[in-house]
Amino acid sequence: MVTTSTDETVAHAGDNKAVSTEQGVPAAVRLVPVVLAGGAGSRLWPMSREQYPKQLIDVLGSESLLQATVQRMKGFNAQGRLVSTPIVVCGNEHRFVTSEQLRERGVEARIVVEPARRDTAPALTLAATTACADGEDAIVLVMPADHAIVDVAAFQAAIALAAQHAERGAIVALGVPPTRADTGFGYIKLGDEISGEAHRIERFVEKPAAEIAAQYVASGEYWWNSGIFVLRASVWLATLKRLQPAMYDACLQAQAQGYSDASFFRPGADAFSSSPADSIDYAVMEHLGSQQGIAEGVVVPLSAGWSDLGSWDAVWDALEKDADGNACRGRVVFEGATSSFAHSEKRLIACVGVTNVVVVETDDAVLVADRSRVQEVKIVVSRMRALQAPEAEVHRKVRRPWGYYDSVDHGERFQVKRIVVNPGGRLSLQRHHHRAEHWIVVSGTALVTRGDEEFLLSENQSTFIPLGVTHRLENPGKLPLELIEVQSGSYLGEDDIVRFDDTYGRA
């Protein structure tokens, strides 16, 4: 990836105001989707965990929220505006799963890996500098990776309108005309109407109390803030430089110090970590119109069945329901239940005579909650973290860049795992201080390194890895390798790994 100095990035970004067609007629400025995929989403526990967060789960259908988001602009060509390769900003711990999910959907993207969590404003700044790195000033479409859109055509129409205002230098927010007085969203007060249903932004309002929210909805002067924005990359950078100079300097320095690592771009860690943490709303949007010399704020309506899926109640609201108002996924039976939601990963859930209840079952945890109190799930997760409960951080099934493992059983001095290695996958060359391992191949072919030995194992064959012996597992075949690993020893934690070599650059 090509980078420029901080001054060059902004100075040259606006030089190319339009792309020329083959006939020499100026075409509309290209559009770059930017997907912010660095969140945790603890309100959707137990499906969403710290190591496998909300945007990576298939909470509504057969694809994850991230996969649905990156495909949302497919087929878009309003006013001849080209859609460029998307930029996805994610955390270091999620980079391999993010890359794999994009590959599954055939999506080519530029993945920018955040060295640390600094909220959405620094994440957008990394994306904006990436979009400007080739010297062209693109229009950036900023989308959280964990939202749902029912009507994609209506969404694209709203983006087309927003892009017209962004092209002339406005920072555009997509506002959702409210259907109820919801205290879970921020609100945008509408200013003067400009054109095509767009309004100037008078002000942003953070999540209000119930009585105030009801007044907003009744007035017809407020829309929900969707968290989706459309703007020129150079306009964002110039506005941020004016309003948040410390953040601007830190992010552009991180970009300049960054480097490519396989399919990822990794900004400079020390510089990025020095950036203040702040959201797009607080850092920039709430200041629009309050100071001279900064961009105009515009809001465009989004009537496309939008939901931020911020709680299990929002998931229930987004799903199809039966005659009694119940929604479910997986193996669920309702009997005399009303207005309830149940999600089963494997086991059968039977809901009898309950009202307004949420039940979510996973391999290692079950949530039962009143639908009116699902926002408190976040508090429960915080308590679990304080108790160092592993269920707050990881699933029983843990993804790795080479595949995944599932902890089937464990006791005081043993643990049983089901391990699946993708074709071509390769675990690190490693050893353990406190455990020995038995490997039994269920299907596929394993290439095993054990000390100075290297040998193949096929179905129904096994081997033993003594404590302290250097070893590695690889899948040289074209089909997934599945095996059962039985660990025994005095300590079986995942941190008992000394890596000597790793294909995926892990420490």
Side-chain angles (χ1 to χ4, degrees):
M1 177 175 294
V2 179
T3 58
T4 62
S5 71
T6 56
D7 290 337
E8 289 175 332
T9 302
V10 176
H12 296 312
D15 291 347
N16 301 320
K17 294 301 182 184
V19 181
S20 295
T21 65
E22 293 182 0
Q23 293 76 23
V25 179
V29 177
R30 68 189 175 103
L31 187 72
V32 179
V34 168
V35 179
L36 304 181
S42 58
R43 289 184 180 89
L44 293 189
W45 184 90
M47 282 194 68
S48 178
R49 311 277 176 102
E50 182 73 21
Q51 294 299 317
Y52 204 74
K54 173 183 167 187
Q55 64 269 18
L56 300 176
I57 61 177
D58 54 346
V59 69
L60 292 181
S62 60
E63 60 184 6
S64 72
L65 298 176
L66 168 67
Q67 290 172 325
T69 302
V70 294
Q71 297 178 102
R72 202 158 281 153
M73 292 301 290
K74 186 180 294 184
F76 179 88
N77 191 26
Q79 298 94 35
R81 199 179 302 283
L82 300 176
V83 177
S84 294
T85 302
I87 298 170
V88 178
V89 185
C90 69
N92 183 59
E93 64 272 26
H94 307 136
R95 68 191 189 281
F96 291 113
V97 180
T98 297
S99 177
E100 177 64 17
Q101 288 200 356
L102 297 178
R103 186 197 63 78
E104 288 175 358
R105 288 295 181 265
V107 175
E108 182 181 346
R110 292 174 283 177
I111 301 177
V112 178
V113 180
E114 291 179 286
R117 288 184 181 175
R118 287 295 179 269
D119 216 323
T120 55
L124 172 54
T125 306
L126 291 180
T129 54
T130 300
C132 285
D134 57 4
E136 186 176 350
D137 185 14
I139 291 174
V140 172
L141 163 60
V142 188
M143 298 179 287
D146 54 1
H147 291 184
I149 297 288
V150 175
D151 189 341
V152 173
F155 171 78
Q156 292 188 358
I159 297 304
L161 175 59
Q164 294 178 34
H165 294 283
E167 189 163 5
R168 64 178 178 79
I171 294 180
V172 186
L174 267 61
V176 178
T179 57
R180 61 186 182 276
D182 199 306
T183 60
F185 303 137
Y187 286 73
I188 302 171
K189 186 174 184 182
L190 309 183
D192 297 335
E193 185 173 348
I194 304 172
S195 63
E197 297 186 296
H199 291 256
R200 288 188 173 83
I201 294 173
E202 183 166 323
R203 64 188 176 102
F204 279 77
V205 181
E206 277 306 299
K207 300 173 182 178
E211 182 180 343
I212 301 299
Q215 294 175 9
Y216 288 167
V217 174
S219 72
E221 298 177 349
Y222 291 83
W223 289 344
W224 292 334
N225 178 15
S226 71
I228 302 171
F229 304 99
V230 183
L231 46 95
R232 275 189 181 269
S234 65
V235 170
W236 171 262
L237 294 172
T239 305
L240 189 76
K241 185 177 184 179
R242 173 79 175 269
L243 296 173
Q244 309 293 340
M247 183 185 298
Y248 172 88
D249 290 340
C251 291
L252 266 71
Q253 185 178 1
Q255 184 80 5
Q257 295 174 355
Y259 63 95
S260 294
D261 173 17
S263 58
F264 310 111
F265 178 73
R266 307 185 71 118
D270 291 342
F272 188 74
S273 298
S274 70
S275 170
D278 211 346
S279 68
I280 294 170
D281 289 347
Y282 283 137
V284 170
M285 299 303 293
E286 292 189 356
H287 301 282
L288 298 183
S290 63
Q291 297 185 29
Q292 292 291 328
I294 62 173
E296 175 190 11
V298 172
V299 58
V300 164
L302 174 63
S303 300
W306 168 87
S307 173
D308 73 339
L309 298 178
S311 68
W312 285 116
D313 186 49
V315 174
W316 168 85
D317 190 51
L319 291 172
E320 185 177 349
K321 301 167 191 64
D322 65 16
D324 295 314
N326 300 309
C328 69
R329 294 194 67 206
R331 301 177 63 212
V332 177
V333 176
F334 291 112
E335 179 59 40
T338 57
S339 302
S340 293
F341 170 74
H343 177 104
S344 165
E345 293 277 287
K346 289 186 178 178
R347 288 166 287 186
L348 175 68
I349 297 176
C351 297
V352 181
V354 296
T355 299
N356 222 46
V357 167
V358 168
V359 182
V360 181
E361 176 267 347
T362 65
D363 283 333
D364 59 351
V366 177
L367 168 71
V368 180
D370 188 300
R371 259 189 50 225
S372 66
R373 300 184 62 178
V374 288
Q375 294 289 348
E376 296 173 43
V377 171
K378 187 174 184 178
I379 300 174
V380 173
V381 174
S382 296
R383 290 173 59 188
M384 287 191 294
R385 286 183 182 140
L387 296 172
Q388 297 185 333
E391 291 85 357
E393 302 292 327
V394 296
H395 286 276
R396 201 183 81 173
K397 180 178 179 180
V398 178
R399 274 81 173 178
R400 289 289 185 255
W402 43 260
Y404 67 85
Y405 69 82
D406 185 358
S407 298
V408 178
D409 196 8
H410 63 89
E412 186 176 347
R413 290 182 61 88
F414 79 92
Q415 182 167 216
V416 180
K417 290 182 177 180
R418 174 176 173 253
I419 297 177
V420 176
V421 184
N422 298 327
R426 194 174 191 232
L427 280 69
S428 60
L429 183 66
Q430 58 184 252
R431 74 176 176 208
H432 311 294
H433 292 302
H434 302 287
R435 72 174 185 251
E437 297 173 346
H438 296 259
W439 294 346
I440 305 99
V441 176
V442 176
S443 62
T445 301
L447 176 59
V448 178
T449 299
R450 184 179 62 186
D452 296 330
E453 304 174 84
E454 188 174 276
F455 52 91
L456 293 171
L457 293 178
S458 56
E459 186 173 327
N460 292 325
Q461 293 183 325
S462 63
T463 191
F464 173 63
I465 310 295
L467 184 152
V469 172
T470 302
H471 58 279
R472 167 177 261 158
L473 177 65
E474 304 178 48
N475 180 0
K478 297 184 181 299
L479 298 174
L481 164 64
E482 181 177 351
L483 58 85
I484 299 299
E485 177 182 87
V486 181
Q487 303 175 353
S488 60
S490 59
Y491 178 73
L492 305 174
E494 282 301 306
D495 54 348
D496 180 23
I497 296 178
V498 180
R499 287 193 175 101
F500 298 97
D501 177 66
D502 184 64
T503 303
Y504 311 103
R506 296 171 296 172

